Amino acid sequence: MSSSADLLKHLAAAETAERLAAQPARLAQLAKLLLSGGESERAVDLAHRARQLAPDDPEVERIVRLVLGRSVPNWHRTILADEARNAAYDAALRRAMGKGSRVLDIGAGSGLLAMMAARAGAGSVVSCEMNPAMAGVAAEIVERNGYADRITIVGKNSRDLAVGTDLAQPVDILVSEIVTNDLLAEDVLGCLEDAVGRLTRPDAAIIPSHGAVRIALAHYGKPASPNLASVQGFDLSPMEILDGRIALAAGNRNLDLRSEPADLFAFDFASGGPFDNHRASVTLTATGGPVNGIVQWIRLRMDAEGVYENRPGPGATSCWGVMFQRLPSVLDMRPGDTLTVQGARDRTALWMWVAPGR
């Protein structure tokens, strides 16, 4: 029996553009079907074609929005609302920009950083985006804002870019925003290992230039989870293996730091690596009070002058969450008591723990 993916491919081949040209709603529905089968690139292409065929059809518009919306992560809006993050990138780009600088933006998203670079005086900007729906939206945004003459949106992973093909020359500035709550999950290390040197001039500015994973002792006032040993009379306790870190807003009022922070891992992005797998150990000194977990956040050094950090605290806001990891039991720590946290990482994930018996 054919797989669902094979069936979708067969259906897509049978329903040719010629047959569907007079049926844009059907074309949009085919795009939705392809998306459900994992064919996101083809789905986005058909969705755009359906919209072009029937720009005023409200049903087609809703289906197209459904396809595009489902293929783009919902955190893009959250990132765009982070004024401190946006201001830090804008200021760093202005400081780095020379007359006619050539810029590479890895991870176009909405195209915001690319447009910041163009506004700051870049001669040309190449902005790569591997999500086809997002790349299409970014190109539309760039054109709408009048920067299509200087910004090129390329629908590729940065590893697939080449000087002489996608870039006329190695760039003067490389800017990226491909970090996550734990810094690493979007493969920022691997991308910069590949791009710095291969796609940049030797003296290129790398924004951000450095990154760090910071941790501190903490007390979270609502860490209790349901008793999974008894749910409707069933023992669901094996679910506990899935209970790891939880993402909290930086300004969560139930979270209190119980030590000064320390860097568990730090990276010189501008060096281009190599960023080999690594283990680390950090001793944290308590300020006093009960401790029931370790909280982790990120710090980005944009350049010699600018820093962005989502350190948790009252009133803090950030597009990135802070990660709270519970300890096996609550520790009543006096000022000056210490706790050693062990950590390890590879290129896309990190994990930390406290040895038994402290």
Side-chain angles (χ1 to χ4, degrees):
M1 182 180 292
S2 299
S3 68
S4 58
D6 290 339
L7 181 61
L8 286 168
K9 289 178 181 178
H10 176 75
L11 177 61
E15 297 281 41
T16 62
E18 290 76 18
R19 291 182 59 186
L20 293 173
Q23 305 176 66
R26 187 172 173 83
L27 189 64
Q29 289 166 355
L30 177 58
K32 184 164 67 70
L33 184 61
L34 285 167
L35 183 66
S36 67
E39 300 252 354
S40 60
E41 188 169 353
R42 182 79 190 278
V44 169
D45 179 59
L46 291 187
H48 283 303
R49 288 165 60 189
R51 173 184 271 171
Q52 291 169 355
L53 290 169
D56 301 318
D57 187 316
E59 180 184 4
V60 170
E61 179 66 17
R62 290 316 308 171
I63 298 173
V64 169
R65 285 175 177 260
L66 182 66
V67 171
L68 299 182
R70 286 184 177 177
S71 60
V72 173
N74 59 13
W75 40 256
H76 279 283
R77 288 181 179 271
T78 305
I79 286 175
L80 295 176
D82 190 336
E83 294 183 4
R85 168 239 184 224
N86 296 342
Y89 271 97
D90 188 50
L93 282 165
R94 290 177 185 275
R95 286 191 292 266
M97 199 65 61
K99 184 177 180 181
S101 290
R102 296 180 297 273
V103 179
L104 170 61
D105 170 28
I106 296 181
S110 66
L112 177 63
L113 300 186
M115 291 189 295
M116 285 179 179
R119 183 175 64 185
S124 64
V125 183
V126 172
S127 185
C128 63
E129 174 56 58
M130 56 189 278
N131 183 301
M134 200 69 247
V137 170
E140 184 177 343
I141 289 172
V142 165
E143 182 173 3
R144 176 176 294 225
N145 284 274
Y147 288 108
D149 61 329
R150 278 185 284 163
I151 299 174
T152 303
I153 304 295
V154 179
K156 292 183 179 181
N157 186 297
S158 62
R159 288 180 173 83
D160 297 324
L161 299 179
V163 174
T165 303
D166 306 292
L167 301 166
Q169 301 177 54
V171 299
D172 306 297
I173 301 170
L174 186 159
V175 62
S176 67
E177 198 277 71
I178 45 175
V179 299
T180 53
N181 293 346
D182 68 355
L183 197 72
L184 305 179
E186 285 194 14
D187 195 25
V188 60
L189 301 183
C191 287
L192 293 179
E193 273 186 346
D194 170 74
V196 175
R198 186 176 72 84
L199 303 176
T200 65
R201 291 168 50 92
D203 59 348
I206 311 300
I207 303 172
S209 63
H210 295 75
V213 174
R214 313 208 81 194
I215 62 171
L217 302 178
H219 181 268
Y220 178 48
K222 295 186 177 181
S225 58
N227 179 14
L228 298 181
S230 179
V231 179
Q232 288 290 310
F234 301 105
D235 182 0
L236 306 185
S237 56
M239 286 285 292
E240 297 286 359
I241 192 67
L242 305 177
D243 186 17
R245 299 175 301 165
I246 57 174
L248 303 173
N252 190 297
R253 284 184 273 182
N254 296 299
L255 181 68
D256 295 305
L257 299 189
R258 293 285 195 257
S259 76
E260 287 301 312
D263 290 350
L264 183 62
F265 297 109
F267 307 93
D268 179 357
F269 292 151
S271 73
F275 303 109
D276 297 326
N277 296 354
H278 188 60
R279 302 174 77 87
S281 177
V282 171
T283 298
L284 300 172
T285 302
T287 54
V291 171
N292 62 357
I294 310 296
V295 65
Q296 171 261 304
W297 66 95
I298 65 174
R299 185 174 193 264
L300 300 176
R301 176 166 288 283
M302 297 299 170
D303 54 18
E305 297 181 39
V307 172
Y308 177 97
E309 181 174 356
N310 65 329
R311 174 174 174 153
T317 60
S318 175
C319 59
W320 289 291
V322 302
M323 306 303 294
F324 178 80
Q325 180 172 311
R326 294 182 299 174
L327 293 174
S329 60
V330 180
L331 304 176
D332 188 11
M333 303 190 73
R334 297 167 298 182
D337 286 350
T338 60
L339 187 69
T340 298
V341 179
Q342 309 288 334
R345 66 159 185 83
D346 55 24
R347 291 176 193 274
T348 58
L350 66 89
W351 49 101
M352 56 188 181
W353 66 98
V354 175
R358 299 170 55 189

